[in-house]
Amino acid sequence: MKRWLLCLLLATFGAASAWALSADEQMRFADGIYLRGFYETAVAEYLALLRDYPDSPHVPAALYRTGECYRQMGNQAGAERFYKQLVVQHPESEQVPRAELRRAELAIAEDRFSDAATILNALLIGEPSKDVAASASYYLGYSRLKAGDDSGASDAYARLLAEHGDSPYASFAALDLAALHAGDKNNADQMEAWFEKALAAAATPAAKAEALFRWGDWAYRNERYQQAADTLQSLLLEWPDERRARDALLAAAWSLYYLDRAPEALSLADKLEQNAADAETAASGVYLRANCLRKMNRDGEALAEYERVARDYPGTRFASRAAYETMVTRFKRGEYEKTLVAAPAQPEAANEADVLWMRAESERALGRLDAARGRYEELVGQFPKSAQAAPSLLRLGEMAREAGRLDEAAEWFGRVAAEYPKNEAVGEALKASALARMRAGDAKGALADWDALLARKLDASAAAGARLQKALVLIELKKEKDALETLDEIVKDPSGGESVALAHYWRGVLLAEKSKWPEAEAALRASLAATPDAQTSALARLRLAVVLQRQDRMDEAADQIAPLLDNPRLVAENPALVEWAVRRRFDQGQYDRALEAAVALAKNAAEPSWRQIGWYWAGSSQAQLGHDKEALAGYEKAVAEDAQTREGAESQLLLASLELKEGRYDKAEERFAEAARSAAGDDALALRARAYFGLGETAEAAGQIERAARHFMSVAVLFDDPEWTPHALYRAGRLFGQAGKTAEQKSAWKELRERYPDSSFARQVEEDAP
């Protein structure tokens, strides 16, 4: 019908377009379309009026309603533009206050709260109409609230209540004030006054429901259950179809429960589940229902409801509560909540220790460590002769160890051996005590525990493990001789399992420290032959490489390093050893193996200097293998590292030479200069001389004769390098000659003959002399 009417209007006025509508007619027509909700068409008609009748008294209203059309269409920028045009061009018009209010609303929608506050403050100063003033006061408070200015928001809301208490906005302001001050102490009377005001000023059922809900929720959270129950029940009775009625069910039901009004709470609990929007709320209803039934002595029904919570709502916070309170469990199935619920309050005397043990184990499994510790201590104290006493001491030791209380842990473990010497857990306890003492820094105490353990009857593997730990303690105590003797006992019996390989390794470490290189080598090779775990194998190879170096068996040392290159951590921890292997392989012409080690160093080294060295050698190895593209990539990666090494400077020189060769003089000059900066140490003087020489070559190639001569002379002045200085003097002299500077040429070549008379360049000068 609307579409038909619009078409009819457009057809009627379109047919009459041969004559113009008057300003009044145009305005009435635009308003008619606007009121029918055809905002896009209305915009066109308002714009026509603004175009055709710019001096009409309808212009302010047309501007405002154009902005309204844009706002209705979701075009905020367009709306803002026409509201603002109205304010600027017709500041005295009656539409301005509402336009300013709209601008403030748009600013709030875009989170420009400061802009909104500025507009609203100005609007309120102008004394707008009462309804506009009420709106502006509320939005001013809201803007300040959103901007984090709680004090300013509170003041604005208070002003609204004082000046426009009968406005519908007063309800919102009162609720916002209550929310702002909910955490204040001793303000119950003020809170109630705000809630009463919000309820009285509420203009719609939804607003009244909101006020009652907020009031009841506040009362519930402050344990004012009677007030909460009365308020929320009013909401449920008077506005049952409002959204907040559903939200009120939970607090209303629990308030009634806490007031011992179980039958009424039960009724609401049923509704709570039926109207729940999510599983958590539904579970709360069923859980509350079970509590009410239990309070009404209907235990069988209560148990069924608790079971239903655990079964139907396992992901809610009420599931564990229900299971803890009601479900029968069996300890051996690991149903610890059920174990605690089912534990008899007064067990039979013969079962008391068993009940305490299961309670303690359940509490520990559930993470209730303080409660568990109390149960274990109670068991040890009251039933020391029970079968669970020794295991309880073990548990107490384990819990202390996990909490980092190592001395306490060692005491609990030690009591097992002292008080229950025949218990099968003694061996485990002594081992745990020794490890705890060692971690706590008590090496002597740990040694005593290992000796006590070794005094017991142990199988070969356990004995070897204990001896190995004892040897490590002896090493910590600087008793290397005793440690070696203990390790010797282990390696004599190959049935000692994985401890044998470790014993060989530590023998190698101790022997190497005494510079007994052949014996250390034998021990480390024996460790590797015993197929240890990956970490021990890697450590043994590292130690063996050093031992072989000390015996000047470099190739064999390098062979030991090769298998470790796939271990990033070991490469990062031993960069110098890996670099040594790279150089060794490179000097031997084994460029593929050098490349493998260099890449491992470059990718895994922690420090940029080592990575730079690795990439340099990777590039050099690739170059020797004839892989020019890959070699350049390696040098590029080397110079990209934030480091200053000789290798980095050499990489720059190589790249600079390539740039020069390709005729890229600016890039070549840049790289030669960077190479000079990188070659900072005294051991890199030759590289720096080469870099300055390269700058001369680059300038010469670029046709910059005088600049090139200057660079060559800088080499002669700054360095006494047998390779680059005579060459630089010769090139400088030749360039001076080209530039017609005969005196400078003679000076440079004279210096060449005097400083380097035997050089090929001095002879060349003699040959070139007329």
Side-chain angles (χ1 to χ4, degrees):
M1 183 64 181
K2 275 190 175 184
R3 178 180 291 274
W4 176 84
L5 180 59
L6 176 63
C7 291
L8 178 61
L9 287 168
L10 292 176
T12 300
F13 283 92
S17 60
W19 66 86
L21 297 176
S22 69
D24 290 342
E25 291 170 332
Q26 182 67 37
M27 189 65 184
R28 288 200 307 274
F29 177 51
D31 286 344
I33 296 173
Y34 170 79
L35 291 173
R36 288 165 173 78
F38 303 123
Y39 301 115
E40 187 174 351
T41 305
V43 165
E45 296 304 326
Y46 285 127
L47 291 176
L49 185 145
L50 293 172
R51 181 195 64 216
D52 296 338
Y53 302 101
D55 298 323
S56 169
H58 294 298
V59 165
L63 287 170
Y64 175 73
R65 287 170 192 164
T66 302
E68 287 289 273
C69 288
Y70 276 121
R71 183 178 65 84
Q72 294 287 355
M73 291 188 292
N75 186 336
Q76 309 301 332
E80 167 75 13
R81 179 158 52 89
F82 280 92
Y83 293 144
K84 195 167 185 179
Q85 185 177 346
L86 168 63
V87 172
V88 172
Q89 295 179 358
H90 304 279
E92 302 301 325
S93 73
E94 62 180 11
Q95 288 85 6
V96 164
R98 294 193 179 280
E100 288 290 70
L101 188 61
R102 289 300 193 202
R103 289 183 63 218
E105 291 175 356
L106 292 174
I108 291 171
E110 296 173 354
D111 294 342
R112 295 185 289 110
F113 303 116
S114 295
D115 293 346
T118 300
I119 296 170
L120 293 166
N121 274 319
L123 178 57
L124 290 168
I125 292 173
E127 299 184 359
S129 63
K130 191 173 182 180
D131 58 334
V132 171
S135 301
S137 296
Y138 175 73
Y139 284 121
L140 177 60
Y142 184 80
S143 299
R144 287 174 173 169
L145 179 64
K146 287 297 184 179
D149 180 9
D150 291 354
S151 177
S154 184
D155 290 344
Y157 289 143
R159 176 182 172 184
L160 169 58
L161 293 182
E163 297 179 1
H164 307 285
D166 57 346
S167 164
Y169 287 100
S171 180
F172 304 125
L175 290 178
D176 285 352
L177 278 169
L180 276 169
H181 296 281
D184 294 354
K185 294 181 179 179
N186 303 319
N187 72 333
D189 291 342
Q190 178 61 75
M191 291 291 289
E192 290 188 14
W194 281 326
F195 287 127
E196 288 176 354
K197 182 63 177 178
L199 184 60
T204 65
K208 292 183 181 296
E210 182 69 25
L212 285 171
F213 174 78
R214 297 271 198 98
W215 193 349
D217 185 65
W218 167 80
Y220 175 73
R221 293 178 186 277
N222 285 273
E223 299 181 4
R224 302 163 69 95
Y225 298 122
Q226 185 64 58
Q227 186 176 47
D230 291 346
T231 304
L232 295 172
Q233 280 188 305
S234 295
L235 167 58
L236 294 171
L237 290 171
E238 295 175 32
W239 291 284
D241 297 328
E242 291 295 329
R243 175 181 62 86
R244 280 306 196 181
R246 185 185 67 191
D247 297 340
L249 284 171
L250 180 62
W254 278 104
S255 295
L256 290 168
Y257 175 81
Y258 291 135
L259 292 170
D260 287 329
R261 294 161 62 177
E264 295 172 85
L266 180 61
S267 176
L268 291 185
D270 292 339
K271 294 180 180 179
L272 186 62
E273 183 187 16
Q274 295 166 7
N275 294 278
D278 53 60
E280 190 73 22
T281 306
S284 70
V286 182
Y287 182 73
L288 177 57
R289 175 180 170 80
N291 282 0
C292 292
L293 289 167
R294 184 177 59 185
K295 186 169 282 193
M296 295 165 67
N297 297 318
R298 294 159 62 177
D299 294 337
E301 296 173 77
L303 178 59
E305 293 301 282
Y306 284 131
E307 290 175 340
R308 189 157 71 88
V309 174
R311 183 187 66 247
D312 296 346
Y313 303 103
T316 67
R317 60 192 175 96
F318 295 97
S320 61
R321 296 181 186 180
Y324 178 83
E325 291 174 307
T326 63
M327 294 190 71
V328 176
T329 67
R330 296 182 183 274
F331 175 71
K332 291 183 179 181
R333 293 173 60 185
E335 298 170 340
Y336 300 114
E337 287 282 5
K338 299 175 185 178
T339 298
L340 294 170
V341 173
Q346 295 293 331
E348 295 180 5
N351 298 328
E352 283 183 324
D354 290 339
V355 169
L356 272 176
W357 169 255
M358 288 188 292
R359 285 192 177 195
E361 285 286 274
S362 297
E363 297 282 13
R364 185 182 69 86
L366 292 167
R368 304 168 187 166
L369 302 184
D370 289 339
R373 183 164 49 251
R375 298 291 186 189
Y376 290 129
E377 291 177 355
E378 184 180 355
L379 194 156
V380 171
Q382 293 186 11
F383 306 100
K385 295 183 179 180
S386 70
Q388 290 81 19
S392 292
L393 288 171
L394 279 176
R395 285 286 191 252
L396 287 166
E398 291 167 358
M399 292 171 68
R401 179 179 61 198
E402 291 168 3
R405 303 190 300 270
L406 300 175
D407 291 332
E408 179 189 335
E411 290 179 10
W412 289 118
F413 292 134
R415 284 185 59 181
V416 177
E419 298 174 18
Y420 306 95
K422 296 182 179 181
N423 192 283
E424 63 182 8
V426 169
E428 179 186 351
L430 285 170
K431 179 178 178 181
S433 176
L435 293 173
R437 292 186 192 279
M438 193 65 185
R439 285 179 57 195
D442 181 12
K444 291 183 178 179
L447 183 61
D449 284 334
W450 290 122
D451 282 335
L453 179 57
L454 287 167
R456 300 177 63 82
K457 186 177 181 179
L458 304 173
D459 61 39
S461 179
R467 287 194 178 91
L468 178 64
Q469 293 297 329
K470 176 182 176 179
L472 295 177
V473 174
L474 289 168
I475 293 173
E476 181 72 17
L477 291 169
K478 308 298 182 183
K479 296 182 178 182
E480 289 84 359
K481 181 180 178 182
D482 293 341
L484 271 173
E485 291 176 357
T486 303
L487 293 169
D488 288 341
E489 291 182 56
I490 300 173
V491 300
K492 288 176 183 177
D493 185 359
S495 62
E498 62 183 14
S499 297
V500 175
L502 284 164
H504 280 302
Y505 168 75
W506 283 108
R507 288 185 73 252
V509 171
L510 292 174
L511 291 167
E513 290 178 354
K514 294 179 177 294
S515 299
K516 295 183 177 181
W517 309 118
E519 294 90 335
E521 178 188 351
L524 293 169
R525 289 192 183 280
S527 176
L528 292 169
T531 61
D533 61 272
Q535 181 179 4
T536 304
S537 175
L539 293 173
R541 288 191 182 280
L542 283 172
R543 294 279 184 175
L544 182 55
V546 175
V547 168
L548 290 168
Q549 284 179 326
R550 294 297 183 131
Q551 298 179 82
D552 200 25
R553 292 157 61 186
M554 303 303 180
D555 289 344
E556 293 178 72
D559 288 340
Q560 294 301 324
I561 296 171
L564 307 178
L565 299 177
D566 291 333
N567 189 320
R569 181 180 62 82
L570 289 177
V571 173
E573 292 174 355
N574 300 274
L577 197 58
V578 177
E579 186 210 12
W580 172 84
V582 174
R583 292 176 180 272
R584 182 73 183 177
R585 297 302 191 194
F586 193 89
D587 292 344
Q588 292 175 322
Q590 299 181 30
Y591 302 119
D592 52 348
R593 302 182 72 180
L595 175 62
E596 179 186 6
V599 170
L601 178 63
K603 288 185 175 181
N604 300 307
E607 297 179 9
S609 58
W610 285 115
R611 295 197 297 270
Q612 188 172 74
I613 291 170
W615 286 123
Y616 165 76
W617 284 109
S620 298
S621 300
Q622 293 281 22
Q624 293 295 329
L625 291 168
H627 304 155
D628 294 341
K629 183 177 180 181
E630 290 79 0
L632 290 175
Y635 295 138
E636 289 282 7
K637 290 178 180 179
V639 300
E641 294 289 346
D642 185 15
Q644 284 188 328
T645 67
R646 182 184 182 87
E647 289 77 6
E650 290 187 4
S651 297
Q652 283 284 20
L653 287 172
L654 289 166
L655 291 169
S657 298
L658 176 64
E659 301 288 1
L660 178 59
K661 181 180 178 181
E662 296 296 327
R664 295 188 287 269
Y665 303 131
D666 289 345
K667 192 65 177 178
E669 180 180 13
E670 180 182 334
R671 288 196 181 277
F672 278 125
E674 183 59 36
R677 286 191 291 271
S678 300
D682 292 339
D683 61 339
L685 290 176
L687 295 178
R688 202 149 62 246
R690 171 67 185 94
Y692 289 151
F693 189 90
L695 288 170
E697 287 184 301
T698 303
E700 182 179 1
Q704 302 170 356
I705 303 302
E706 292 188 5
R707 188 177 183 188
R710 178 178 177 277
H711 281 306
F712 286 131
M713 284 305 298
S714 72
V715 176
V717 172
L718 297 174
F719 304 100
D720 186 17
D721 187 277
E723 178 180 0
W724 299 108
T725 303
H727 193 176
L729 284 167
Y730 176 76
R731 295 280 286 272
R734 186 161 55 80
L735 290 173
F736 284 141
Q738 292 178 16
K741 296 184 177 181
T742 307
E744 287 84 346
Q745 181 185 53
K746 288 181 179 180
S747 176
W749 282 354
K750 178 183 178 183
E751 183 178 345
L752 170 60
R753 288 191 294 266
E754 290 175 351
R755 288 176 63 184
Y756 304 99
D758 297 328
S759 70
S760 62
F761 296 104
R763 291 194 297 272
Q764 183 67 36
V765 167
E766 295 296 342
E767 294 173 1
D768 292 345

